[in-house]
């Protein structure tokens, strides 16, 4: 009969209208500024730099200014200048650090490729999303002071991932220390009849992961 | 057609309507629909020539969103093009990622672990669900049914986007596939969520169909409108639901059998009139088939690694050569053609955009119809301007 | 389906002297292609479309590739007799030659009826400047219409026999072809706060006033 389709459709809209008052499956919106959504752990927004120590953020940046993220960044929004000198990192090893590390968040497209390619777990994705500003130019270009956030913050926003990263870094540091100890022991060992094999040339503590091919 | 005697009709400052004279038709009216017209799904423009109310000529105008995506692809590394593919057809970033990954895997000869293939199928079918739901909503919007079906579709789409967000970190710009696998392994929680969604989506489709499929106004507005013959559709390179609505059994999931699709039991719905209603109906039926694939894929998901351990993230340089990889995206055949010269950037990076090529026959479908029909026909072709203009 | 060599032989049997070359693809994809000559391309395309057993009814993808002129340095060893009467010397002589580039159009054909493919056709122009005309395959496959317009727009290949050859993505009146390898982007610049050196240098050219120097991020 002509009109049954219409009446059926009206029944559906009526069901949804009434349902939106009591059924959470039919009323799915949030009243945003008052009620905030619970973000999934994987949610990503813009990158930040991990520092080991919140009290000395610039002294304990994990970043060693290797510039891999700068090269791989698709929209080229990262800018790094290497330092001329070396500073001790969290493990006490002298390292180059970024004298300038800037991210233009008006260009950044939150793709996470910098995080994936970083061999030092130094750059991670933030979850801060209320970042609107009235200053289109200056306020969206973040320098390293604005980018640096402590590891504890990383644990807060990505707990599972951060625990994995910490475990991996601790393991790498331990392995590097053992290797360094073994190398030192081999050096100081008395020169026996057979010439001792040369200790590994590269101090592996400097590069926790093998350097990239590119 | 010789266009002469141009008389701007509207006030100074640019006209969207002008009178043209044609020796054969007599006095005609040329209407510029778009680029800022709500029915054009973005910044698309059609120059429609009308004889009374009847369309006698329709020329699409592209390029308002052109950013030379292909040139960007040639100037960045293979990996860095992956997030750009999200932005082609921004409703379906997962399938764009997959198509690009397929092309690069062909080029470099990478194998994909079985678990990753299953996850890709799950994500592609979820993408198909969200694209087709949204399309049905948009089509109703174009018919003048303002809001209601679209909002119901968006409500369900948001559930799928929540799944994408909790897996990849972003609702729409997922950037999830990698060459030789996927970026992160879905957790058991995530898979349970996908299962819940799959179980509940059928009920939504039933409700959606009760609202729309039997609706007399929809039938009157769409049946017999924008007919497309199968011969023209094949010749014009139309792919996806628009081709299957003309009755051509061509679904790359069956034809190429890429990934692990041959393992799943599903059917390819076909239309027989090739009109707008068929194009709507095909998509509803395809969603039901997608649900079948989803439950089979979720049930059969094997363990194991999600990435090929040999795949390199940094310093990826495939050997010289070329490859064309294609998959069945929700809008049709999305393909990537890559030429490598052995360096870190592709020498040539080409996207085969289904929405762009499906627009080839827009004029043929609209001739003899009215402007109001042209809006619906365009809506049923299913375009996203991010992909059309690239 | 036939291999690409078998297909070439089949085409040559039907069109002797058509000048078909197999272009090998060394990648693992192994999608080899057929290089056709402009004179016979449309006849061959019609044959590929209509011949029972081939029936390539869908031209899926049409695209252009730019191969710029290459300067090649040849090194040849020449034996020169020593005028002083000593043993002849072997001297390396270097000669430069320019290998002319071309614009290439690539067609990916599939058969929906017989479910096989792809067959990849390539057409090359004589050079990149004045002789850039190729036959249009739009009369054979309608799907070439917009894609050939795109190749015309972005690469500058002129398709003879195309029903409506206009720019499609760039605007009418635009001069250059942006997908060519030697395309130089126009010198337009919008000030933006960036620490990138080369962008800043460009900014200074456009904004010589002190306002041009955006604040460098503090170290």
């Amino acid at each position: 009969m002509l009109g049954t389709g219409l009446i059926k459709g009206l029944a559906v809209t009526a069901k949804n209208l009434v349902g939106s008052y009591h059924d959470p499956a039919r009323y799915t919106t949030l009243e945003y500024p008052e009620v905030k959504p619970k973000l999934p752990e994987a949610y990503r927004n813009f990158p930040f730099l991990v520092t080991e120590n919140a009290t000395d953020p610039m002294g304990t940046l994990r970043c060693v200014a290797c510039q891999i993220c700068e090269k791989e960044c698709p929209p080229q929004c990262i800018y790094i200048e290497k330092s001329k000198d070396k500073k001790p990192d969290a493990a006490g090893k002298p390292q180059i650090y970024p004298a300038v590390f800037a991210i233009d968040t008006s260009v950044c497209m939150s793709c996470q490729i910098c995080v994936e390619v970083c061999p030092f777990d130094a750059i991670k994705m933030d979850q801060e999303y209320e970042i609107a500003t009235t200053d289109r130019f200056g306020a969206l270009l973040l320098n390293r002071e604005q980018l640096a956030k402590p590891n504890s913050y990383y644990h807060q926003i990505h707990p599972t991932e951060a625990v994995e990263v910490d475990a991996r870094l601790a393991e790498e540091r331990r392995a590097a220390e053992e290797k360094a100890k073994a190398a030192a022991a081999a050096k100081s060992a008395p020169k026996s009849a057979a010439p001792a094999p040369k200790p590994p040339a590269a101090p592996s503590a400097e590069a926790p992961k093998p350097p990239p091919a590119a | 057609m010789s266009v002469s005697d141009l008389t701007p009709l509207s006030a100074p400052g640019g006209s969207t309507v002008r009178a043209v004279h044609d020796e054969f038709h007599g006095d005609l009216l040329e209407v510029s629909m778009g680029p800022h017209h709500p029915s054009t799904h973005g910044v698309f423009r059609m120059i429609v020539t009308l004889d009374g109310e009847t369309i006698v000529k329709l020329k699409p105008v592209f390029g308002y969103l052109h950013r030379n995506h292909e040139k960007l692809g040639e100037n960045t590394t293979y990996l860095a093009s992956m997030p750009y593919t999200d932005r082609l057809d921004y409703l379906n970033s997962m399938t764009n990622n997959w198509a690009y990954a397929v092309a690069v895997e062909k080029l470099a000869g990478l194998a994909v672990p079985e678990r990753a293939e299953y996850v890709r199928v799950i994500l592609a079918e979820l993408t198909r669900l969200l694209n087709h739901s949204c399309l049905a909503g948009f089509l109703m919007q174009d018919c003048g049914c303002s809001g209601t079906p679209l909002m119901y579709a968006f409500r369900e789409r948001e559930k799928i986007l929540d799944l994408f967000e909790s897996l990849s970190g972003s609702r729409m710009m997922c950037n999830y596939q990698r060459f030789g696998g996927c970026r992160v392994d879905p957790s058991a929680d995530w898979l349970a969520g996908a299962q819940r969604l799959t179980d509940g989506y059928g009920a939504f489709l039933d409700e959606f169909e009760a609202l729309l499929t039997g609706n007399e106004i929809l039938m009157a507005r769409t049946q017999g409108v924008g007919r497309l013959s199968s011969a023209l559709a094949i010749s014009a390179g139309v792919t996806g639901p628009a081709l299957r609505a003309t009755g051509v059994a061509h679904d790359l999931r069956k034809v190429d059998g890429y990934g692990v699709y041959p393992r799943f039991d599903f059917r390819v719905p076909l239309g027989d009139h090739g009109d707008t209603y068929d194009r709507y109906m095909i998509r509803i039926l395809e969603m039901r088939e997608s649900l079948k694939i989803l439950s089979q894929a979720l049930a059969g998901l094997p363990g194991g690694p999600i990435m090929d351990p040999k795949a390199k993230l940094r310093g990826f340089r495939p050997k010289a050569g070329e490859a064309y990889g294609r998959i069945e995206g929700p809008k049709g055949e999305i393909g990537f053609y890559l030429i490598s010269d052995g360096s870190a950037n592709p020498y040539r990076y080409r996207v085969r955009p289904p929405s762009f090529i499906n627009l080839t026959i827009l004029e043929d479908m609209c001739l003899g119809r009215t402007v109001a029909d042209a809006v619906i026909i365009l809506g049923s072709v299913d375009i996203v301007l991010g992909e059309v203009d690239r | 389906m036939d291999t690409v060599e078998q297909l070439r032989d089949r085409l040559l049997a039907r069109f002797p002297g058509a000048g078909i070359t197999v272009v090998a693809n060394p990648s693992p994809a192994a999608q080899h292609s057929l290089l056709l000559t402009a004179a016979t391309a449309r006849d061959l395309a019609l044959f590929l479309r209509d011949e029972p057993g081939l029936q390539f009814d869908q031209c899926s993808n049409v695209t252009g590739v730019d191969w710029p002129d290459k300067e090649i340095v040849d090194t040849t060893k020449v034996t020169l007799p020593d005028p002083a009467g000593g043993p002849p010397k072997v001297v390396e002589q270097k000669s430069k030659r320019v290998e002319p580039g071309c614009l290439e159009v690539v067609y990916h054909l599939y058969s929906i009826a017989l479910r096989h493919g792809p067959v990849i056709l390539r057409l090359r122009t004589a050079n990149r400047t004045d002789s850039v005309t190729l036959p249009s395959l739009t009369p054979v496959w309608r799907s070439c219409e917009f894609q050939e317009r795109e190749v015309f727009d972005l690469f500058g290949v002129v398709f003879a026999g195309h029903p409506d050859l206009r720019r499609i993505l760039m605007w009418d009146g635009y001069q250059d072809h942006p997908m060519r390898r030697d395309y130089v982007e126009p010198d337009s610049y919008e000030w933006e706060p960036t620490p990138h050196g080369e962008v800043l240098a460009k900014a200074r050219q456009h904004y010589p006033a002190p306002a041009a120097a955006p604040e460098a991020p503090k170290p």
Side-chain angles (χ1 to χ4, degrees):
Chain A
M1 193 193 78
L2 194 71
T4 30
L6 284 177
I7 292 165
K8 261 198 215 163
L10 283 173
V12 171
T13 46
K15 205 161 78 183
N16 276 280
L17 172 69
V18 177
S20 69
Y21 282 95
H22 60 82
D23 186 357
R26 293 193 194 278
Y27 182 69
T28 51
T29 48
L30 286 176
E31 293 182 6
Y32 161 61
E34 288 83 27
V35 186
K36 290 195 177 167
K38 193 179 169 294
L39 296 173
E41 204 191 315
Y43 173 74
R44 59 183 144 95
N45 202 327
F46 291 120
F48 70 96
L49 291 174
V50 185
T51 63
E52 299 286 356
N53 190 342
T55 51
D56 177 22
M58 286 308 103
T60 54
L61 281 178
R62 274 187 196 164
C63 177
V64 299
C66 68
Q67 295 182 311
I68 291 174
C69 56
E70 189 185 17
K71 275 191 212 103
E72 290 283 345
C73 175
Q76 299 286 303
C77 71
I78 305 179
Y79 180 72
I80 301 172
E81 255 175 42
K82 284 186 184 199
S83 64
K84 300 271 187 301
D85 55 331
K86 286 188 176 186
K87 265 199 225 169
D89 67 354
K93 190 105 190 139
Q95 293 278 24
I96 292 177
Y97 61 93
V100 175
F101 195 114
I103 294 183
D104 189 351
T105 50
S106 65
V107 173
C108 174
M109 59 183 192
S110 312
C111 67
Q112 208 178 14
I113 279 179
C114 52
V115 175
E116 282 169 64
V117 297
C118 180
F120 302 95
D121 288 301
I123 188 164
K124 295 289 169 194
M125 295 311 273
D126 205 347
Q127 294 197 335
E128 180 71 44
Y129 56 88
E130 285 166 329
I131 41 179
T133 167
T134 49
D135 176 10
R136 183 186 142 199
F137 290 142
L140 290 172
L141 179 63
L142 305 181
N143 58 27
R144 61 177 196 153
E145 280 79 9
Q146 289 161 304
L147 287 168
K149 291 190 178 170
N151 196 17
S152 54
Y153 175 76
Y154 179 42
H155 274 269
Q156 204 182 317
I157 56 171
H158 299 293
T160 332
E161 205 184 284
V163 169
E164 279 169 25
V165 167
D166 274 10
R168 191 169 66 230
L169 286 178
E171 174 60 29
E172 274 163 10
R173 252 170 226 162
R174 196 189 54 78
E177 269 167 29
E178 266 180 20
K179 217 171 181 182
K181 254 185 220 165
K187 234 184 199 171
S188 60
K191 277 173 190 146
S192 52
K198 263 193 171 177
S204 50
E206 242 173 31
K209 278 182 200 170
Chain B
M1 183 185 290
S2 77
V3 175
S4 57
D5 190 22
L6 308 177
T7 328
L9 287 185
S10 68
S15 65
T16 53
V17 179
R18 66 179 185 179
V20 291
H21 185 78
D22 176 70
E23 278 124 28
F24 182 66
H25 290 93
D27 288 327
L28 300 173
L29 203 61
E30 194 174 81
V31 183
S32 173
M33 285 180 71
H36 300 296
H37 192 284
S39 73
T40 55
H41 295 241
V43 280
F44 177 63
R45 181 169 160 215
M46 298 181 274
I47 298 178
V48 188
T49 312
L50 297 172
D51 181 5
E53 272 215 76
T54 315
I55 297 174
V56 292
K57 186 179 161 191
L58 183 146
K59 288 290 166 209
V61 181
F62 307 95
Y64 293 96
L65 210 56
H66 180 55
R67 57 214 181 264
N68 221 337
H69 179 91
E70 295 177 7
K71 191 92 177 176
L72 285 176
E74 287 171 17
N75 287 320
T76 48
T77 58
Y78 285 88
L79 175 65
S81 284
M82 186 61 92
Y84 284 123
T85 63
D86 292 339
R87 285 140 177 96
L88 280 171
D89 173 359
Y90 39 76
L91 286 176
N92 307 323
S93 61
M94 287 289 188
T95 45
N96 297 346
N97 284 180
W98 189 6
Y100 180 49
V102 160
V104 176
E105 281 153 9
K106 272 193 180 175
L107 182 68
L110 290 171
V112 183
E114 206 178 20
R115 185 176 172 84
E117 291 281 20
Y118 270 79
V119 171
R120 285 177 173 186
V121 167
I122 292 169
L123 293 170
E125 295 310 317
L126 286 173
T127 307
R128 208 176 307 279
L129 284 181
L130 81 83
N131 179 71
H132 287 358
S133 310
C134 285
L135 175 96
F138 286 133
L139 186 59
M140 297 313 128
Q141 185 96 347
D142 291 339
C143 288
C145 174
S146 190
T148 310
L150 180 62
M151 285 303 128
Y152 293 174
F154 268 30
R155 187 184 66 205
E156 299 307 308
R157 167 184 182 239
E158 204 59 35
K159 293 175 188 167
I160 298 173
L161 292 184
D162 281 349
L163 280 177
F164 285 178
E165 186 178 30
S166 61
L167 182 65
S168 73
S170 186
R171 290 163 69 245
M172 290 169 77
M173 304 297 140
C174 298
N175 183 19
Y176 177 70
Q177 313 287 359
R178 288 289 173 269
F179 316 134
C182 305
R183 203 182 66 208
V184 276
D185 202 348
S187 64
D189 273 358
W190 189 89
L191 292 169
Q195 185 67 52
R196 268 197 306 281
L197 184 121
T198 310
D199 295 341
Y201 214 85
F204 162 70
L205 281 184
D206 291 341
E207 196 181 287
F208 207 53
E209 277 212 83
L211 178 64
L212 300 173
T213 303
N215 188 305
E216 285 84 358
I217 302 174
L218 176 67
M219 289 198 225
R221 287 286 271 120
T222 56
Q223 284 182 350
V225 172
R227 284 222 176 162
L228 180 61
S229 71
S230 56
L232 179 61
I234 292 174
S235 167
V238 176
T239 45
L243 175 64
R244 291 191 285 275
T246 66
V248 181
H250 181 73
D251 186 323
L252 295 183
R253 292 175 291 174
K254 293 277 190 197
V255 174
D256 282 7
Y258 60 93
V260 285
Y261 274 114
R263 298 187 197 174
F264 303 126
D265 172 37
F266 66 101
R267 300 195 300 168
V268 177
L270 298 179
D272 27 59
H273 306 290
D275 59 1
T276 305
Y277 189 76
D278 273 10
R279 288 195 279 277
Y280 156 76
M281 207 54 219
I282 287 283
R283 285 172 171 116
I284 299 285
L285 295 173
E286 269 189 17
M287 281 197 270
R288 299 209 184 263
E289 297 302 317
S290 287
L291 289 176
K292 275 198 220 164
I293 301 175
L294 270 174
S295 43
Q296 291 171 57
L298 284 164
L301 180 69
I306 193 98
M307 267 300 268
D308 182 9
K310 278 178 287 180
K312 264 164 79 179
L313 195 60
R314 281 170 299 199
F316 179 76
R317 286 161 193 268
K319 287 197 192 89
E322 62 172 57
Y324 178 66
R326 57 175 194 169
I327 69 164
E328 181 76 30
K331 292 184 163 54
E333 171 188 334
I334 169 139
F336 284 83
Y337 173 62
L338 299 163
I339 300 181
S340 164
D341 59 353
S343 67
N345 300 355
Y347 183 81
R348 178 80 180 98
Y349 165 94
R350 151 83 179 166
V351 190
R352 187 233 186 248
S355 348
F356 176 69
I357 294 165
N358 287 359
L359 282 177
T360 311
I361 34 72
L362 182 66
E363 181 177 22
D364 303 66
M365 290 197 285
C366 292
L367 288 184
R369 311 297 313 186
T370 59
V371 169
D373 284 345
V375 170
I376 304 177
I377 293 166
L378 177 69
S380 72
V381 173
D382 191 8
I383 58 165
V384 159
L385 267 296
E387 184 180 82
V388 172
D389 289 344
R390 280 159 295 138
Chain C
M1 201 191 81
D2 305 349
T3 64
V4 72
E5 285 83 11
Q6 285 168 325
L7 187 63
R8 178 200 52 194
D9 296 341
R10 192 165 169 180
L11 288 170
L12 281 177
R14 175 72 181 71
F15 299 93
I20 306 167
T21 328
V22 172
V23 181
N25 175 6
S27 85
Q31 295 167 334
H32 309 294
S33 44
L34 292 173
L35 177 65
L36 310 184
T37 52
T40 52
R42 198 175 293 170
D43 293 338
L44 290 170
L46 276 170
F47 178 76
L48 284 169
R49 187 189 73 179
D50 296 333
E51 173 75 3
L54 296 175
Q55 284 186 33
F56 288 98
D57 45 13
Q58 186 198 28
C59 178
S60 172
N61 181 38
V62 183
T63 188
V65 188
D66 183 16
W67 301 101
D69 300 343
K70 260 195 285 190
E71 194 172 80
I72 296 176
V73 180
D74 290 322
T75 316
T76 42
K77 283 187 180 169
V78 183
T79 317
L80 293 176
D82 195 350
K89 277 184 196 164
V90 180
V91 182
E92 282 193 351
Q93 278 188 341
K94 287 186 177 176
S95 60
K96 278 184 191 171
R97 67 190 163 91
V98 175
E99 195 182 82
C102 65
L103 297 167
E104 191 178 60
V105 186
V106 186
Y107 296 82
H108 284 77
L109 311 181
Y110 286 91
S111 169
I112 289 183
L114 303 179
R115 297 197 167 185
H116 60 156
V119 159
I120 305 167
L121 305 182
R122 308 181 100 90
L123 290 172
R124 285 182 188 161
T125 60
N127 60 28
R128 299 172 68 248
T129 46
D130 52 348
S131 178
V132 288
T133 308
L134 287 177
S136 166
L137 296 189
T138 307
V140 186
W141 295 285
R142 179 74 191 279
S143 60
C144 302
E145 184 182 341
F146 283 2
Q147 301 191 71
E148 283 183 344
R149 268 178 76 184
E150 190 186 319
V151 174
F152 163 71
D153 186 358
L154 303 181
F155 288 91
V157 179
V158 177
F159 290 95
H162 191 285
D164 184 20
L165 196 65
R166 287 178 293 138
R167 286 192 177 269
I168 189 164
L169 293 173
M170 308 305 283
W171 55 95
D172 293 333
Y174 188 79
Q175 292 299 325
D176 212 341
H177 303 291
M179 278 304 288
R180 290 204 182 185
R181 306 291 292 190
D182 50 4
Y183 171 74
V184 183
E185 54 189 279
D187 186 32
S188 62
Y189 179 80
E190 190 187 352
W191 189 82
E192 54 176 312
T194 176
H196 282 266
E198 67 262 43
V199 185
L200 283 181
K202 205 169 167 186
R204 278 192 203 99
Q205 287 170 16
H206 285 265
Y207 299 87
E215 260 182 67
K218 288 163 205 100

